[in-house]
Amino acid sequence: CTNVTIFFLFLSLGTGSNILSALQDLFWLLKSKVEKQLQIISVLQWVLTFLIMGIACTLILMYILCTDCWVIAALYLAWLVFDWNTPKKGGRRSQWVRNWAIWRYFRDYFPIRLVKTHNLLTTRNYIFGYHPHGIMGLGAFCNFSTEATGVSQKFPGIRPYLATLAGNFRMPILRDYLMSGGICPVNRDSIDYILSKNGSGNAIIIVVGGAAESLNCTPGKNSVTLKNRKGFVKLALRHGADLVPVYSFGENEVYKQVIFEEGSWGRWVQKKFQKHIGFAPCIFHGRGLFSSTTWGLLPYSKPITTVVGEPITIPKIDNPSQKDVDFYHSIYVDSLIKLFDKYKSKFGLPETEVLEVN
């Protein structure tokens, strides 16, 4: 009774409201800390997926083949053979996976935002040119391989396919994980199928600069590898798919990289890897797992804003000449520069900033 009396006495003196306010503040503080940890976990799992999941799953499968559970591995390998060409035929996307809550925590870690500037017709097919590559293309993944930023709501009736290295689809388990997000191989067979045998309303996102561009990405630098990248324009002409320039402000800010000068032994090694394997090894770092002041594999939490530009209408030409390709490539480059110049000041860059096209 005494305790109850004291409690009501505190309430009558206003202490009760202070206690409730303090408890409420404590609750929101704990909630924000939990959310931050979930954001870190969500980003870490994707970084590990990007770096080691393919190799790890391959080694685990080989190990299981040598154990009493070999039947499980054998059944999966049989399925793998049967399902081998699925990535080339649009893959096997899962709306359930694309809508996982973990992707919303992934989005909020940076945060990542998708900006729509024009409507896209569902009666047309599209090739999005995504710039810049960055180290891992985090904005491309979050915006187009998940529903975290609402791509399906912003562009209703459009099915996005993020194109990545074909070698990833030779890796067990990883291939299925990637396909569930609507990711496909960046090769001619896959792109031809999606643009010619999958109806309309398809949008293939190609990170045009590729591995070569990733070698030069560093905070504070806005440059794209595009001058001699014309294959995507030729594909667009062959299928009559409209080209859409896309620029991600902040993509280069989330990791710091050691840049090797042209002619150095480091750049020579990177180019050899790029030529023979398809990717270039980068020496980079982000923040630590437990502290933002230490080095680690987690990207820095810098905002990434992906702006989808105005579509460029492309005619269908079965056998486009080099003149046709050059003409529409120049239009695309001009559109990308205009997009960059229009939005750069809105997303933290000075008006004097110039997009470097290499």
Side-chain angles (χ1 to χ4, degrees):
C1 290
T2 304
N3 291 337
V4 173
T5 304
I6 293 172
F7 176 74
F8 279 107
L9 179 61
F10 281 166
L11 282 178
S12 66
L13 295 173
T15 309
S17 62
N18 293 338
I19 293 173
L20 289 174
S21 177
L23 289 173
Q24 190 177 38
D25 291 343
L26 180 62
F27 170 77
W28 287 113
L29 179 63
L30 292 174
K31 183 181 178 182
S32 65
K33 285 187 175 181
V34 169
E35 287 184 347
K36 188 60 181 176
Q37 294 305 313
L38 289 173
Q39 291 169 12
I40 289 173
I41 292 169
S42 68
V43 174
L44 180 63
Q45 69 83 26
W46 173 247
V47 170
L48 294 178
T49 295
F50 183 90
L51 294 175
I52 65 171
M53 183 177 179
I55 295 173
C57 288
T58 301
L59 294 175
I60 291 170
L61 196 66
M62 292 173 62
Y63 171 76
I64 293 175
L65 279 171
C66 301
T67 68
D68 294 337
C69 298
W70 65 269
V71 175
I72 297 174
L75 287 172
Y76 179 81
L77 288 174
W79 160 254
L80 190 62
V81 173
F82 174 78
D83 195 53
W84 190 253
N85 289 323
T86 298
K88 299 177 183 178
K89 298 180 179 180
R92 187 171 47 247
R93 73 175 54 219
S94 167
Q95 286 302 115
W96 176 65
V97 173
R98 287 175 61 89
N99 281 284
W100 277 354
I102 194 172
W103 306 131
R104 294 191 290 275
Y105 289 112
F106 182 99
R107 171 200 67 197
D108 294 338
Y109 172 86
F110 296 92
I112 296 174
R113 180 186 171 200
L114 180 65
V115 176
K116 170 186 175 181
T117 62
H118 292 79
N119 292 325
L120 298 181
L121 299 175
T122 57
T123 55
R124 301 285 293 172
N125 283 324
Y126 300 91
I127 293 180
F128 286 19
Y130 184 92
H131 313 269
H133 184 288
I135 295 292
M136 296 185 186
L138 295 165
F141 169 75
C142 185
N143 285 309
F144 302 113
S145 294
T146 80
E147 294 296 330
T149 56
V151 63
S152 293
Q153 286 72 44
K154 288 182 170 69
F155 301 103
I158 302 297
R159 292 180 298 276
Y161 294 87
L162 177 60
T164 187
L165 289 176
N168 289 323
F169 296 89
R170 302 187 187 102
M171 302 285 189
I173 310 299
L174 175 63
R175 67 189 293 276
D176 302 289
Y177 189 34
L178 295 179
M179 282 194 291
S180 67
I183 301 177
C184 68
V186 62
N187 58 32
R188 181 169 172 175
D189 289 342
S190 177
I191 294 172
D192 282 347
Y193 183 91
I194 293 170
L195 295 180
S196 63
K197 299 179 181 179
N198 202 41
S200 60
N202 302 293
I204 298 179
I205 297 89
I206 299 177
V207 186
V208 178
E213 190 172 86
S214 69
L215 298 179
N216 295 313
C217 67
T218 188
K221 186 175 183 180
N222 288 282
S223 66
V224 296
T225 301
L226 184 57
K227 279 184 180 178
N228 298 315
R229 299 293 174 111
K230 301 180 181 180
F232 72 106
V233 178
K234 189 173 184 178
L235 281 169
L237 285 165
R238 289 180 60 245
H239 293 284
D242 294 347
L243 289 171
V244 182
V246 179
Y247 197 86
S248 256
F249 295 90
E251 184 72 62
N252 284 346
E253 305 299 317
V254 295
Y255 279 111
K256 295 179 181 178
Q257 180 184 190
V258 176
I259 305 292
F260 292 102
E261 296 295 329
E262 290 291 338
S264 66
W265 67 269
R267 183 53 63 98
W268 179 85
V269 170
Q270 289 176 322
K271 286 188 173 181
K272 287 295 182 183
F273 266 85
Q274 179 188 336
K275 180 179 179 180
H276 297 293
I277 302 178
F279 75 93
C282 302
I283 300 177
F284 66 92
H285 73 85
R287 54 156 289 181
L289 181 60
F290 302 107
S291 172
S292 60
T293 58
T294 58
W295 287 11
L297 290 177
L298 276 176
Y300 293 105
S301 52
K302 304 285 186 178
I304 298 174
T305 305
T306 303
V307 184
V308 180
E310 182 179 3
I312 303 165
T313 302
I314 303 294
K316 188 177 187 300
I317 305 175
D318 291 333
N319 294 297
S321 65
Q322 189 60 48
K323 184 178 179 181
D324 294 326
V325 174
D326 290 343
F327 175 73
Y328 284 100
H329 181 267
S330 65
I331 292 176
Y332 179 86
V333 173
D334 289 342
S335 296
L336 178 64
I337 293 172
K338 288 177 182 177
L339 180 71
F340 178 84
D341 289 339
K342 182 177 180 179
Y343 289 94
K344 61 187 178 183
S345 61
K346 294 182 180 180
F347 302 117
L349 297 178
E351 283 289 349
T352 55
E353 186 73 18
V354 176
L355 179 62
E356 181 184 332
V357 180
N358 300 312

